[in-house]
Amino acid sequence: MSPQLFCLDGNERVIGPAGEPQGSPCSTVRSNDMIALVRLGKWLEARAKRSTAQAIRALMDLRPARARVERDGHEIKVPAEAVGTGEYVVVRPGERVPVHGEVVAGEGSVGERLLTGESLPVVRVPGDRVVGGSINGEGLLRVRATAVGEATALARIVHFVEEAQASKAPVQRLVDRVSSVFVPTSAWDS
């Protein structure tokens, strides 16, 4: 069988003895080139998914596993997921804030760059809000939890990134449908 070129106008052309397409001139794509481009696209997609998965893991690592909660007049450590809305959390210097909340006592400089991009820590005093996952740089804070678990901004960001990774853009679905028909056909013809 003679080698064939697939034109961008959707027609096929047979390659003549001098190496030029026979028939009307057209922009051409060889079937092997098409297969290579599709495979390159699939590889790039897989690489992007791997890097997104790493980013999700890094975001999840920002959440502290444990929190110091005031219960019955005592400070105890509990899993961060066990903190309820309205409970009081103690955040020491150098610790991550386990929940979204309002500072009710103490003063500290809190690094919130993970959500705001602000490179400098922000001073938080009673009445100010703090974001779960941010780092208390200095000063002891007593925080009343206003959002915990899946209600935090960090959890919502992780959810949106996972949702975006799982879905495909409409144009990507179209390309997948076209390539599922075209690539096996062009591979058979070559």
Side-chain angles (χ1 to χ4, degrees):
M1 176 174 243
S2 301
Q4 295 184 346
L5 295 176
F6 295 90
C7 300
L8 297 180
D9 64 5
N11 297 317
E12 297 179 30
R13 303 288 191 275
V14 175
I15 298 177
E20 77 284 346
Q22 299 294 308
S24 63
C26 69
S27 300
T28 58
V29 178
R30 287 191 212 128
S31 59
N32 289 343
D33 294 340
M34 181 61 71
I35 291 169
L37 287 172
V38 169
R39 286 187 177 166
L40 174 65
K42 297 281 185 191
W43 178 79
L44 289 171
E45 181 180 3
R47 190 174 124 195
K49 282 188 177 187
R50 277 193 308 274
S51 107
T52 302
Q54 289 172 347
I56 289 171
R57 278 192 296 280
L59 279 172
M60 293 173 90
D61 288 345
L62 293 175
R63 296 187 289 195
R66 305 192 59 75
R68 295 177 201 281
V69 180
E70 290 181 355
R71 290 188 180 156
D72 300 324
H74 298 284
E75 191 178 298
I76 59 170
K77 274 191 160 185
V78 299
E81 303 86 41
V83 177
T85 303
E87 286 194 284
Y88 292 93
V89 177
V90 176
V91 186
R92 294 184 176 164
E95 292 181 340
R96 288 196 182 274
V97 178
V99 295
H100 284 11
E102 181 181 342
V103 177
V104 293
E107 182 178 316
S109 58
V110 178
E112 298 177 344
R113 81 172 359 160
L114 74 121
L115 289 175
T116 64
E118 177 62 47
S119 61
L120 299 174
V122 180
V123 175
R124 295 293 184 209
V125 297
D128 289 344
R129 297 204 172 272
V130 289
V131 179
S134 56
I135 299 173
N136 181 21
E138 57 185 54
L140 184 73
L141 297 174
R142 185 169 179 250
V143 177
R144 184 177 53 80
T146 57
V148 296
E150 295 302 312
T152 63
L154 188 57
R156 287 194 309 267
I157 290 170
V158 169
H159 173 74
F160 288 140
V161 170
E162 287 173 338
E163 200 174 80
Q165 183 182 14
S167 66
K168 288 187 175 186
V171 71
Q172 188 177 4
R173 285 193 295 271
L174 175 64
V175 168
D176 287 347
R177 280 189 13 230
V178 169
S179 67
S180 70
V181 172
F182 181 73
V183 172
T185 303
S186 61
W188 182 263
D189 288 343
S190 37

